[in-house]
Amino acid sequence: NAGVTQTPKFRVLKTGQSMTLLCAQDMNHEYMYWYRQDPGMGLRLIHYSVGEGTTAKGEVPDGYNVSRLKKQNFLLGLESAAPSQTSVYFCASRERLAGAFNEQFFGPGTRLTVL
Amino acid sequence: RKEVEQDPGPFNVPEGATVAFNCTYSNSASQSFFWYRQDCRKEPKLLMSVYSSGNEDGRFTAQLNRASQYISLLIRDSKLSDSATYLCVVNGGVGNFNKFYFGSGTKLNVKP
């Protein structure tokens, strides 16, 4: 099993350009998450999904959109990239189990630079 | 106020030392608590969940103090390979159990 994969691994954009980050998981997990990590700030939740066809906002959703058309994929879109969106983006997935102690599995990250 | 706060460190300790990290959280309704480990430029990986009764996994012990809203991680007999950043993670309260909040991490350097 590949676990959680992210595409691309690196990307450089110019201000105003758009792009889509793809997250895929092969563990049949219900929940999926997009985070961004900036130096000294830890991971912050952008959007998340509790199942196919559903999405919800996290802490820092502005400037991003998401879609979960298939259970195994969670897409993060930047419609008009800004330098403030320069960050490392992590996707995670998690199984639906009773309680909330089950682990999040993370992808390797996408390093995005917006010039 | 941040949902989760940690001392960023770094904690510089010799091999074999015992080191402890604390983390405080702001939402008294949070129900699940974790420590994740993150190596430089890598993704976070679960170290251990933190249960109300406390739990131990080899050299690692985690404790939860609900009254004071803090979580601790104790590492005994530190190894060079323990050098990493340790992230405290807490879920949201009522209606937000599937949302998770990360601390900014505590960096540990274990020296020979």
Side-chain angles (χ1 to χ4, degrees), chain B residues 13 31 38 63 67 70-72 74 79 84 90 96 109:
Chain B
V13 302
Q31 295 292 320
Q38 186 174 29
Q63 296 282 348
Y70 78 82
I71 306 150
S72 64
L74 181 76
K79 312 290 185 192
V90 175
N96 290 304
N109 295 317

Side-chain angles (χ1 to χ4, degrees), chain B:
Chain B
R1 182 182 173 186
K2 287 185 179 179
E3 296 278 343
V4 181
E5 302 215 46
Q6 296 181 249
D7 181 344
F11 285 60
N12 298 308
V13 302
E15 271 188 292
T18 295
V19 62
F21 309 136
N22 283 337
C23 154
T24 58
Y25 61 96
S26 62
N27 191 340
S28 60
S30 293
Q31 295 292 320
S32 56
F33 312 90
F34 308 86
W35 284 102
Y36 278 73
R37 171 193 168 126
Q38 186 174 29
D39 293 298
C40 189
R41 300 176 74 83
K42 297 284 192 181
E43 71 272 23
K45 292 185 179 178
L46 181 68
L47 178 67
M48 57 198 306
S49 302
V50 186
Y51 303 115
S52 296
S53 55
N55 45 304
E56 186 174 312
D57 183 2
R59 299 181 292 109
F60 299 86
T61 300
Q63 296 282 348
L64 168 64
N65 185 318
R66 283 192 182 274
S68 301
Q69 293 181 211
Y70 78 82
I71 306 150
S72 64
L73 177 68
L74 181 76
I75 305 175
R76 290 181 297 276
D77 188 24
S78 298
K79 312 290 185 192
L80 294 176
S81 57
D82 293 334
S83 296
T85 297
Y86 291 83
L87 306 173
C88 176
V89 184
V90 175
N91 79 335
V94 175
N96 290 304
F97 288 123
N98 293 311
K99 292 175 71 171
F100 294 89
Y101 299 91
F102 284 71
S104 55
T106 298
K107 189 170 175 60
L108 172 64
N109 295 317
V110 181
K111 309 287 189 181

Side-chain angles (χ1 to χ4, degrees), chain A residues 13-17 36 38 64 78 80-87 89 112-115:
Chain A
L13 289 179
K14 293 182 180 178
T15 297
Q17 287 186 317
R36 61 178 287 175
D38 302 300
Y64 304 96
L78 285 72
S80 179
S84 60
Q85 295 178 303
T86 294
S87 189
Y89 291 84
L112 175 66
T113 301
V114 183
L115 302 175

Side-chain angles (χ1 to χ4, degrees), chain A residues 28-48:
Chain A
N28 202 36
H29 286 172
E30 290 291 335
Y31 303 144
M32 295 187 75
Y33 302 83
W34 275 109
Y35 295 92
R36 61 178 287 175
Q37 185 174 32
D38 302 300
M41 297 193 71
L43 278 76
R44 291 182 292 168
L45 182 63
I46 305 172
H47 287 280
Y48 66 105

